[in-house]
Amino acid sequence: MVESTPRAWRAADEYLADVLVGDDPALEAALAAQREAGMPEIEVAPVAGKLLNLLVRISGARRVLEIGTLGGYSTIWMARAVGDGGRVVTIEAEAGNAAIARESIDAAGVGDRVDIRIGRGADVLPTLVGGFDLVFIDADKESNTVYLDWAARLGHPGTVIVVDNVGRDGEIVDENTKDTKVIGTRDGLRMLGEDPRFDATALQTVGIKGWDGMAIALVV
Ligand code: DHB
Ligand code: MG
C-alpha cells in the first residue's frame, strides 16, 4: 500500500490530471504569466478547474459569476464551458492581476465571454445585475458570508454555488482558531448549513494543493 503523504497525494493528482485533463497550452500559458507576474500559486488544481468546467456544463449554466480572478486560470476553464453567447463576470481586487488575467483570457480565445470587474467584492457585487446560474467563490476567505449572501441574491432557485478552500489542512475543525481565513471559512460553512436559501455539502480534497476541499451548494 502507498503511504498517504502529501507527496503521494501530489503524484496521484498529477496522474489524474495527465489521464483526464492532458496538455492545455492556453491554460499553461495563463499559469506561466501568473507566475511571471509574481502572483501566488493558489489557482485551482487542473482536476478542479475541469470540475468547474463540467459543473457549468452539467448545470447548463450560461451566466457565471466568479469572485477572485487571480490570473484567470479558473476563469478560462469556466468561460470555455458557458458556450457561445455565455458570459463570465469575474471580480478581481488587484488591478495588476486583472491586467494579466485579461491578456491570458483573450489569448485563450474566450475574451468576448469574460467581463473582468476590478474592485473588492463587497464594492463590486452590489453593482451587478443578477441572474447568475453558477457562482464560484474563491477570494478573501474573511468575506465568504458576504459573498454567499450576494451569490443567493444574484442567483435564483437552481443556481449552483462552489466555494473553494473549505478544508484548509483540517484547520476548519478548530473552533478557537485565530486564523481569520479559517474563521471566515467556518462562518461560510455554518451559513451554508443554516441559511434556508442553501442546500449544501462539501468534499475534502488532497492533491497538488495539499489537503483542502470544496463546498457545493444549490440555491433553493
Ligand atoms: C489561499 C487562497 C486560495 O484561494 C487557495 O485556493 C489556497 C490558499 C489562501 O489565501 O491561503
Ligand atoms: Mg482557492
Side-chain angles (χ1 to χ4, degrees), residues 21-22 31 80 92 128 155 181 200 210-211:
V21 182
L31 288 186
R80 287 175 174 171
E92 174 53 45
L128 298 181
K181 292 182 185 183
W211 176 17

Side-chain angles (χ1 to χ4, degrees), residues 13-217:
D13 201 359
E14 285 171 348
Y15 164 76
L16 292 172
D18 261 1
V19 174
L20 299 171
V21 182
D23 290 335
D24 195 315
L27 286 171
E28 284 152 25
L31 288 186
Q34 179 178 311
R35 308 273 191 268
E36 176 73 20
M39 282 178 241
E41 299 188 18
I42 55 170
E43 74 284 346
V44 298
V47 293
K50 187 147 186 193
L51 174 66
L52 291 169
N53 176 284
L54 290 166
L55 285 172
V56 170
R57 290 154 62 198
I58 290 165
S59 65
R62 308 277 292 158
R63 279 182 54 83
V64 168
L65 172 62
E66 177 178 61
I67 307 171
T69 315
L70 196 66
Y73 181 79
S74 47
T75 322
I76 293 168
W77 270 116
M78 295 190 288
R80 287 175 174 171
V82 293
D84 283 337
R87 196 113 197 111
V88 179
V89 176
T90 183
I91 302 172
E92 174 53 45
E94 304 284 340
N97 293 354
I100 303 290
R102 180 80 265 166
E103 284 180 20
S104 295
I105 292 162
D106 291 349
V110 289
D112 56 336
R113 302 176 185 178
V114 178
D115 182 3
I116 305 180
R117 302 289 178 92
I118 299 167
R120 303 212 48 90
D123 298 324
V124 174
L125 286 161
T127 72
L128 298 181
V129 176
F132 291 102
D133 308 309
L134 185 142
V135 181
F136 178 47
I137 299 174
D138 190 18
D140 57 307
K141 314 310 171 193
E142 291 82 353
S143 302
N144 272 2
T145 56
V146 173
Y147 298 153
L148 284 166
D149 180 57
W150 278 106
R153 292 160 69 162
L154 295 171
H156 51 78
T159 292
V160 176
I161 301 174
V162 181
V163 186
D164 196 26
N165 311 115
V166 300
R168 303 215 71 94
D169 292 308
E171 289 179 33
I172 50 159
V173 301
D174 183 0
E175 59 189 23
N176 298 313
T177 184
K178 297 279 184 291
D179 182 330
T180 58
K181 292 182 185 183
V182 176
I183 293 168
T185 301
R186 285 172 55 88
D187 289 347
L189 287 166
R190 188 180 322 107
M191 185 172 179
L192 285 175
E194 290 178 354
D195 188 318
R197 294 177 295 177
F198 306 111
D199 204 5
T201 190
L203 292 174
Q204 300 183 69
T205 54
V206 294
I208 65 168
K209 293 191 68 186
W211 176 17
D212 210 335
M214 275 192 179
I216 299 187

